Amino acid sequence: MKKTIIITGASEGIGSAMALEFARRGYALGLISRRMELLQKVKKDGLALGASQIHLESVDVTDEIHFESALSSLDQKLGGAEFFVANAGVTGRSSFDETAWPSAKKTLLVNAMAAIHGLEVMKVKMLARGRGTLVGVSSVAGSRGMPTGGAYSSSKAALTTHLETMRVDLKGMGISVVTIAPGFIDTSLTKKNKGKMPFLMQPEDAARIFATAIEKKKVWAIAPRPYFFLYPILQMLPRAWFDFILSRTYRSIRG
Ligand SMILES: NC(=O)c1ccc[n+]([C@@H]2O[C@H](COP(=O)([O-])OP(=O)(O)OC[C@H]3O[C@@H](n4cnc5c(N)ncnc54)[C@H](OP(=O)(O)O)[C@@H]3O)[C@@H](O)[C@H]2O)c1
């Protein structure tokens, strides 16, 4: 197996933690996000940890033309990436004023449209080589419509569903598809939350679990561990119970 990987949203949080974990495992990396100064720091740390090479692209993943050319450039520099991780994501809260749509649109564009765009572009490249692994970082929040985060939940539900279709479509073609569904991980994204987040995990610990799942081409990876059981329970909750329980718990966590 070639040890080459492209990760979006690699400047901080789960993305940078995964980049450093794969660096530790001796990979050649292609990293994408908007903030170059943070990417440079990840590159410096990653090379010190053992990455064979690290290439950077500062690009907004919603800028379709630049995103596609960044993916092509990284893929070429890596000699054909074996793994692609669509990780870049943002969160937004439901609001009841004129900020509601811009926030929802941005969330859907980054988390659903750009993630699916990246996966589709890399799918074509991997199909031409007859091998590769496509990874999407979705969320437990994609399991149901979480209170206060309609656009976030629906963006992640769209991504999870698209990954599922890809997994079935690509069977027997040499391409694996991995869906990652984090619960609460301690990053800038969750720092906005006000309440106590159950089973909150450090990004480095989550990155170790996700990197191993990616290398093993597991269909589904979830962390922290309790969410492995909570995810199907959430999906099965009758609507009245879901409304009652989640409006009291999730809403108080998000503040
Ligand atoms: N933390 C959690 O509890 C949690 C739970 C479930 C799922 N997730 C998912 O995990 C992924 C990573 O989240 P995180 O918690 O690590 O968040 P984070 O710390 O806020 O990091 C988000 C990353 O995405 C990048 N990004 C955001 N918008 C971008 C854009 N338009 N173009 C390019 N890059 C962009 C950011 O880089 P720049 O700002 O430099 O561009 C940053 O590197 C997301 O998809 C998130 O939805 C997180």
Side-chain angles (χ1 to χ4, degrees):
M1 182 190 67
K2 279 173 67 192
K3 293 180 122 190
T4 48
I5 188 163
I6 296 175
I7 304 173
T8 71
S11 61
E12 66 168 316
I14 297 170
S16 67
M18 275 199 286
L20 296 179
E21 182 56 35
F22 280 107
R24 214 170 272 121
R25 297 178 189 208
Y27 276 66
L29 299 147
L31 306 180
I32 291 176
S33 85
R34 291 163 302 179
R35 288 169 295 168
M36 186 46 105
E37 66 288 0
L38 293 188
L39 284 179
Q40 292 284 11
K41 166 92 172 70
V42 177
K43 177 174 178 175
K44 188 165 167 266
D45 294 347
L47 289 172
L49 284 170
S52 57
Q53 45 179 297
I54 301 183
H55 306 283
L56 308 177
E57 287 284 346
S58 163
V59 67
D60 184 329
V61 291
T62 65
D63 177 342
E64 292 193 7
I65 293 169
H66 288 119
F67 185 31
E68 277 196 32
S69 66
L71 286 173
S72 294
S73 163
L74 291 176
D75 193 60
Q76 199 201 343
K77 284 177 184 158
L78 294 174
E82 195 61 32
F83 298 95
F84 169 66
V85 186
N87 165 74
V90 293
T91 187
R93 273 150 221 273
S94 300
S95 54
F96 303 91
D97 56 23
E98 61 286 350
T99 63
W101 173 237
S103 161
K105 183 179 171 186
K106 185 180 171 203
T107 304
L108 288 159
L109 277 174
V110 176
N111 298 2
M113 297 282 279
I116 291 170
H117 180 207
L119 289 163
E120 289 293 329
V121 168
M122 291 307 298
K123 175 179 85 178
V124 173
K125 294 183 193 303
M126 288 178 181
L127 276 174
R129 299 194 275 268
R131 56 162 216 283
T133 300
L134 297 165
V135 184
V137 179
S138 189
S139 174
V140 170
S143 61
R144 294 289 288 260
M146 298 297 173
T148 78
Y152 186 74
S153 277
S154 56
S155 71
K156 293 300 185 180
L159 179 57
T160 301
T161 305
H162 193 82
L163 287 161
E164 182 137 71
T165 299
M166 286 183 121
R167 191 179 70 234
V168 179
D169 285 351
L170 292 167
K171 249 200 170 58
M173 295 187 186
I175 319 290
S176 306
V177 178
V178 178
T179 302
I180 290 178
F184 288 114
I185 314 293
D186 191 8
T187 68
S188 300
L189 191 131
T190 45
K191 293 245 183 315
K192 296 162 194 156
N193 292 340
K194 304 277 189 296
K196 190 173 173 329
M197 291 171 270
F199 317 112
L200 184 69
M201 188 179 235
Q202 291 310 302
E204 297 74 21
D205 298 330
R208 259 194 310 278
I209 294 167
F210 297 149
T212 300
I214 291 168
E215 282 189 326
K216 290 186 173 164
K217 302 177 181 184
K218 288 206 167 159
V219 164
W220 181 250
I222 201 159
R225 181 86 181 143
Y227 288 96
F228 186 82
F229 305 100
L230 282 171
Y231 193 104
I233 291 171
L234 269 171
Q235 287 196 307
M236 285 185 297
L237 272 183
R239 280 184 207 99
W241 290 28
F242 177 84
D243 294 1
F244 180 79
I245 297 168
L246 271 290
S247 64
R248 276 157 186 77
T249 53
Y250 201 76
R251 190 173 281 158
S252 72
I253 291 167
R254 299 258 291 175

